[in-house]
């Protein structure tokens, strides 16, 4: 029996759990959250080869709100006229693929038992499971992050151009799924380039430049498309203005939480914003996005203290699902806060151990740490939600596993001297 088959059998309970969650927890078949916009974009791509809707008055959430990554995956399924209840089962399959690749990544350096244990630690991370019952971007993003980690690990070790290119392709595909990672990619290219200029003899730096360059080059067609559509350079998506606007509120008692325009019209507490959103409903989505960005910058300049406070609140939402208005059910909050508190505690435990072993760590450790830091940082200025942390979680669990590997090796090396 091959290694791949054995790994699949060992991880089959996770796949069964994901499928069960998707089957049991599915909501209304009419579509919820981002599903209508994603499926509509997939239908346009399958029928006409375009992402943005045509016409002078497209829906606000349909106009360049989502990147083409998940849309391209959904397009063949939509073309086959599959029901939404069947399309949703793509999500558990994507997450299953992620845990399989994560196990393979851990087996690069860990023994079978700890590799399997840490894979289950990732696979049982509860916030993942909340994204399995509907069509969302996070399971695909998690899969792409893990695929990139595996390719990066092998590419930095072997120097094979194909493997390094695959790492770059995975990062590019991640940007196409979650466009805000475009800023992460550009920052990684700048950091890798600066490292290579400072240390011209560093083979690792040169290989990292190659990975980031492949990812950046892959983004050029999307940026060219959005510039033609909008006239704006480096326009990753149309969702940033609304998120940044809610981080700079003009009403007291708000902490930067994201609200949909629909809620503005329904929630009496948000009534003062209704005249603004009525005006924005009358203009093109691009003009609405640019206006919200302009107002957000003005508000931040006028109330920098409010924005600084909301940055702290945003970190709380990202990791612990608080503060939220109205407060979420305690079970939902606990299902986010407890796993992330344990993860942060494990990172605090592992940080000094990784630092002591910094000269002997795998070459991918520092790049992955920088990627995780940038991925978290890019989600703090605009309004954040807990699911935005999910693509970073495999990197964080890998760092803890690497710290534990060093701890175990140190104990094994010390054991003979104690016995003597």
């Amino acid at each position: 029996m091959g290694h791949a088959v054995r790994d699949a059998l060992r991880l089959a309970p996770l796949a069964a759990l994901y499928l069960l969650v998707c089957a049991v927890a599915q909501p209304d078949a009419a579509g919820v959250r981002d599903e209508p916009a994603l499926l509509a974009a997939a239908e346009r791509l399958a029928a006409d080869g375009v992402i943005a809707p045509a016409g002078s008055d497209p829906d606000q959430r349909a106009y360049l709100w989502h990147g083409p990554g998940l849309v391209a995956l959904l397009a063949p399924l939509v073309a086959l006229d599959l029901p939404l209840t069947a399309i949703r089962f793509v999500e558990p399959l994507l997450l299953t693929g992620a845990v399989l690749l994560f196990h393979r990544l851990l087996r690069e350096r860990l023994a079978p038992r700890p590799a399997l244990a840490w894979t289950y630690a990732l696979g049982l991370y509860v916030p993942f499971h909340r994204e399995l019952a509907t069509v969302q971007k996070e399971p695909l993003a998690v899969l792409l992050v893990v695929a990139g980690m595996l390719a990066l690990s092998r590419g930095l070790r072997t120097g094979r151009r194909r493997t390094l290119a695959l790492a770059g392709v995975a990062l590019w595909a991640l940007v196409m799924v979650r466009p805000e990672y475009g800023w992460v990619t550009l920052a990684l290219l700048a950091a890798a380039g600066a490292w290579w200029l400072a240390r011209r003899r560093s083979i690792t730096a040169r290989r990292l430049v190659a990975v980031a360059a492949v990812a950046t080059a892959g983004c050029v067609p999307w940026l060219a498309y959005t510039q033609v559509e909008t006239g704006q350079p480096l326009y990753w998506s149309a969702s940033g203005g609304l998120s940044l606007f809610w981080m700079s509120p003009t009403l007291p008692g708000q902490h930067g939480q994201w609200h949909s325009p629909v809620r503005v019209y329904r929630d009496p507490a948000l009534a003062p914003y209704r005249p603004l959103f009525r005006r924005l409903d009358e203009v093109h989505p691009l003009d609405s996005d640019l206006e919200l960005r302009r107002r957000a910058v003005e508000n931040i300049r006028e109330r920098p203290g409010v924005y600084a406070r909301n940055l702290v609140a945003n970190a709380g939402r990202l990791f612990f699902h608080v503060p939220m208005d109205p407060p979420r059910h305690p079970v939902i909050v606990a299902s986010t806060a407890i796993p992330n508190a344990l993860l942060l505690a494990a990172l605090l435990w592992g940080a000094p151990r990784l630092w002591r072993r910094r000269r002997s760590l795998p070459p991918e450790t520092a790049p992955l740490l920088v990627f995780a830091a940038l991925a978290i940082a890019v989600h703090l200025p605009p309004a954040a939600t807990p699911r935005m942390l999910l693509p970073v979680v495999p990197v964080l669990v890998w760092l803890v596993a690497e710290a534990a590997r060093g701890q175990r090796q140190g104990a094994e090396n010390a054991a003979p001297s104690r016995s003597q």
Side-chain angles (χ1 to χ4, degrees), residues 140-154:
L140 179 55
V142 171
L143 172 61
L144 292 170
V145 168
V146 177
M149 293 170 67
L150 179 59
L152 182 69
S153 176
R154 292 179 174 177

Side-chain angles (χ1 to χ4, degrees), residues 56-396:
S56 59
D57 187 27
D59 179 71
Q60 299 277 351
R61 294 288 296 273
Y63 182 80
L64 299 179
W65 191 274
H66 304 287
L70 181 57
V71 172
L73 178 65
L74 296 174
L77 305 179
V78 172
L80 291 173
D81 203 24
L82 294 179
L84 177 57
T85 52
I87 294 176
R88 285 170 173 160
F89 279 93
V90 169
E91 306 299 292
L93 297 180
L94 292 171
L95 191 56
T96 298
V99 296
L100 286 170
L101 288 182
F102 191 72
H103 183 259
R104 187 171 298 182
L105 170 67
L106 293 178
R107 285 294 289 122
E108 298 280 307
R109 302 184 188 280
L110 295 183
R113 284 188 178 181
L116 189 64
W118 285 112
T119 302
Y120 267 87
L122 178 72
L124 293 174
Y125 178 72
V126 176
F128 282 157
H129 306 165
R130 289 203 301 268
E131 308 304 321
L132 293 175
T134 58
V135 176
Q136 300 298 331
K137 292 174 278 191
E138 282 64 37
L140 179 55
V142 171
L143 172 61
L144 292 170
V145 168
V146 177
M149 293 170 67
L150 179 59
L152 182 69
S153 176
R154 292 179 174 177
L156 293 182
R157 187 175 70 249
T158 65
R160 293 178 180 171
R161 294 181 179 179
R162 178 182 176 185
T163 310
L164 292 169
L166 285 175
V169 168
L171 180 56
W172 158 72
L174 175 65
V175 178
M176 297 298 100
V177 174
R178 294 213 61 100
E180 70 271 21
Y181 279 87
W183 300 115
V184 175
T185 300
L186 294 178
L188 288 173
L189 178 61
W195 185 17
W196 180 70
L197 289 174
R199 300 181 61 183
R200 290 295 185 94
R201 295 183 179 181
S202 173
I203 298 175
T204 298
R206 187 167 68 247
R207 291 171 180 172
L208 288 172
V209 169
V211 171
V214 168
T216 303
C219 295
V220 170
W222 173 249
L223 291 175
Y225 173 71
T226 59
Q227 183 156 9
V228 169
E229 285 284 332
T230 67
Q232 301 292 316
L234 293 178
Y235 194 84
W236 297 102
S237 80
S239 63
L242 185 60
S243 294
L244 191 61
F245 175 78
W246 289 123
M247 280 292 287
S248 59
T250 55
L251 294 179
Q254 293 187 311
H255 300 279
Q257 179 181 337
W258 188 90
H259 303 295
S260 73
V262 173
R263 184 178 174 186
V264 172
Y265 298 120
R266 294 178 178 175
D267 189 342
L270 301 176
Y273 293 114
R274 289 174 186 172
L276 168 64
F277 279 89
R278 287 194 184 99
R279 290 197 301 272
L280 295 178
D281 284 342
E282 301 299 321
V283 303
H284 191 275
L286 172 63
D287 297 323
S288 173
D289 179 51
L290 296 179
E291 175 64 13
L292 287 170
R293 295 187 190 200
R294 185 190 66 79
R295 286 177 174 263
V297 172
E298 284 185 359
N299 293 343
I300 292 169
R301 287 174 177 169
E302 293 176 2
R303 304 172 185 84
V306 172
Y307 185 67
R309 180 202 66 191
N310 288 348
L311 288 175
V312 177
N314 223 16
R317 275 187 293 273
L318 197 62
F319 285 93
F320 304 114
H321 218 146
V322 291
M324 300 292 284
D325 181 29
R328 298 301 185 257
H329 192 282
V331 173
I332 295 177
V333 174
S335 69
T336 298
I338 292 175
N340 285 341
L342 293 173
L343 182 57
L344 290 174
L347 288 168
L348 289 174
W349 170 85
R353 289 158 178 81
L354 291 173
W355 177 255
R356 287 195 293 268
R357 294 174 46 228
R358 60 189 180 277
R359 298 188 184 279
S360 61
L361 289 173
E364 65 269 22
T365 306
L368 290 178
L369 183 59
V370 171
F371 169 82
L374 290 171
I376 293 172
V378 81
H379 288 108
L380 292 179
T385 60
R387 63 177 175 152
M388 294 177 179
L389 183 67
L390 301 188
V392 189
V393 170
V395 180
L396 303 182

